[in-house]
Amino acid sequence: MNIITTLAHMKAERGQMTGSVALVPTMGYLHEGHLSLVRRALNDCDNVVVSIFVNPSQFGPKEDFERYPRDEQRDLESIRSLFSPHPRLGRGGRGVRTVFIPSVEEMYPADFDDWVEISGPLTQLLEGAHRPGHFRGVTTVVARLFRVIEPQRAYFGQKDAQQLRVIRRMVEDERLPVEIVPMPTVREPDGLAMSSRNVYLSPHQRQAALALPRALALARRLVMDEGINDAEALRNAIEAALTPHVDAPRRGASTTLSLDYVSISDEQTLEELDIIDRPALVLLAARIGATRLIDNTIVAPKGLPASDELRPPIAADGAALPSPTSDF
Ligand code: AMP
């Protein structure tokens, strides 16, 4: 496995590759969610490049860039342990060929002026409104990676649903020759979406964070089993389910859930819906103490055939999301 730190070296390495090339962009501190993307890439393509770069330009000035968790050695061990299960490849199969770990100076030299920005509601809504400049940072770094690595396929998690759609839009707008492969959210057995930021949570905060996947499970049940199609009614039900956590003064501010938004939007454009008459995304963003968490699920009106992306979200151990009937 080659560990590459410069753009020039990465370009040269790309020149040596034959066959198809996959890219899995990450910010490191890898967990099963990231690894599911790498496994899929290994299954699909001849060469897999994993990038690890904590991208400063996608963090706001008051956000957690400095304290974002990092553990390069552990990440490299995790990546090394992965192999394509392809039987034709014999013992152990094929592993990740290249890990690209550039420095901030390498990606953003002093004269850097090559920003890539997608305009319009898709980047201004939701995460865009709460994290100004975030998507400009994301599209800039991903476009830069695409230009150097020239992958045929790049893998992104549905966990960051808005980011996935912004990247798709960027690829369309810039006519980039890369297929964006969406991957389902991997969850802990209790339903919490895996995230590098979960390490910030105390045991009590982690418990409080379970309100998010439970509220999403409730949303799925109300829309897909009970046939609720009024978005306002659904939003109210979700907010009511989260309220005990929003006002939990006795357990102290550090376990209080502070909601940034509950959004019910068109699954493709992320424009808010009044009536759920097509597949919709339910997106939640909340803060617990100093930690910001996002999660989402896709719901479809009762009776509409469920596509792959509409099947119940899965945990790392293959279990479905927990039932919404719980003690919150
Ligand atoms: P990050 O390191 O957080 O920037 O994430 C890198 C990639 O992994 C992004 O495409 C994320 O959407 C994806 N990802 C993060 N968490 C998960 C998860 N729990 N399940 C699936 N994909 C994930």
Side-chain angles (χ1 to χ4, degrees):
M1 196 165 81
N2 297 328
I3 295 152
I4 292 181
T5 57
T6 68
L7 291 162
H9 191 179
M10 186 63 239
K11 238 183 156 48
E13 164 89 359
R14 172 64 179 93
Q16 304 285 312
M17 291 178 185
T18 53
S20 56
V21 176
L23 171 64
V24 182
T26 80
M27 298 204 301
Y29 212 71
L30 303 180
H31 50 66
E32 269 303 313
H34 298 114
L35 301 184
S36 71
L37 274 54
V38 181
R39 280 196 199 93
R40 173 72 190 275
L42 281 168
N43 209 37
D44 292 352
C45 292
D46 300 315
N47 303 275
V48 175
V49 181
V50 177
S51 65
I52 299 178
F53 181 60
V54 185
N55 175 29
S57 72
Q58 70 187 66
F59 288 77
K62 293 193 182 136
E63 293 185 10
D64 55 343
F65 173 69
E66 293 297 340
R67 70 179 187 122
Y68 194 84
R70 294 160 168 92
D71 190 340
E72 203 174 293
Q73 286 318 311
R74 202 192 65 172
D75 287 348
L76 291 174
E77 276 162 35
S78 303
I79 297 169
R80 249 187 220 110
S81 72
L82 300 178
F83 288 95
S84 157
H86 204 295
R88 207 163 28 86
L89 295 163
R91 202 168 59 88
R94 168 169 38 77
V96 171
R97 171 173 174 152
T98 309
V99 184
F100 183 46
I101 316 186
S103 65
V104 172
E105 294 71 29
E106 186 69 18
M107 292 300 273
Y108 297 102
D111 58 352
F112 182 80
D113 192 24
D114 201 6
W115 298 99
V116 175
E117 188 159 16
I118 304 302
S119 56
L122 189 58
T123 53
Q124 281 157 11
L125 294 164
L126 306 166
E127 290 303 284
H130 284 268
R131 305 183 69 189
H134 170 67
F135 287 122
R136 182 175 93 132
V138 170
T139 46
T140 297
V141 83
V142 171
R144 205 152 157 71
L145 292 169
F146 283 177
R147 242 175 269 135
V148 176
I149 297 163
E150 296 181 50
Q152 276 86 30
R153 286 183 172 176
Y155 295 76
F156 290 86
Q158 172 71 11
K159 160 78 170 48
D160 298 281
Q162 191 175 2
Q163 167 176 282
L164 169 61
R165 283 149 186 82
V166 168
I167 298 290
R168 272 190 190 140
R169 176 71 59 79
M170 176 184 83
V171 163
E172 277 167 30
D173 286 3
E174 310 266 316
R175 296 173 194 275
L176 301 174
V178 50
E179 181 191 343
I180 303 302
V181 183
M183 293 290 293
T185 300
V186 177
R187 295 174 181 279
E188 302 285 356
D190 60 10
L192 186 67
M194 290 196 174
S195 163
S196 306
R197 289 189 168 97
N198 290 349
V199 71
Y200 296 148
L201 300 171
S202 71
H204 281 109
Q205 289 176 327
R206 201 189 166 293
Q207 204 53 31
L210 291 178
L212 296 179
R214 286 174 183 158
L216 293 174
L218 172 71
R220 294 175 67 85
R221 179 165 64 72
L222 291 177
V223 177
M224 306 213 281
D225 298 342
E226 297 187 17
I228 287 188
N229 67 0
D230 181 313
E232 188 60 28
L234 180 63
R235 190 176 300 105
N236 290 340
I238 294 171
E239 285 180 3
L242 293 169
T243 297
H245 296 272
V246 175
D247 308 315
R250 269 178 300 150
R251 273 181 290 164
S254 70
T255 56
T256 302
L257 199 89
S258 163
L259 268 181
D260 276 355
Y261 56 77
V262 175
S263 163
I264 298 154
S265 63
D266 179 283
E267 192 264 318
Q268 298 290 324
T269 64
L270 300 194
E271 276 158 35
E272 289 293 313
L273 293 177
D274 293 328
I275 302 291
I276 303 166
D277 54 1
R278 62 196 107 149
L281 254 178
V282 180
L283 294 141
L284 306 180
R287 280 166 284 125
I288 299 181
T291 306
R292 191 163 181 283
L293 299 174
I294 57 172
D295 201 351
N296 70 83
T297 191
I298 299 179
V299 293
K302 199 175 175 186
L304 207 83
S307 75
D308 273 359
E309 279 193 48
L310 298 173
R311 299 235 170 84
I314 43 152
D317 64 358
L321 260 180
S323 102
T325 51
S326 62
D327 56 357
F328 65 88

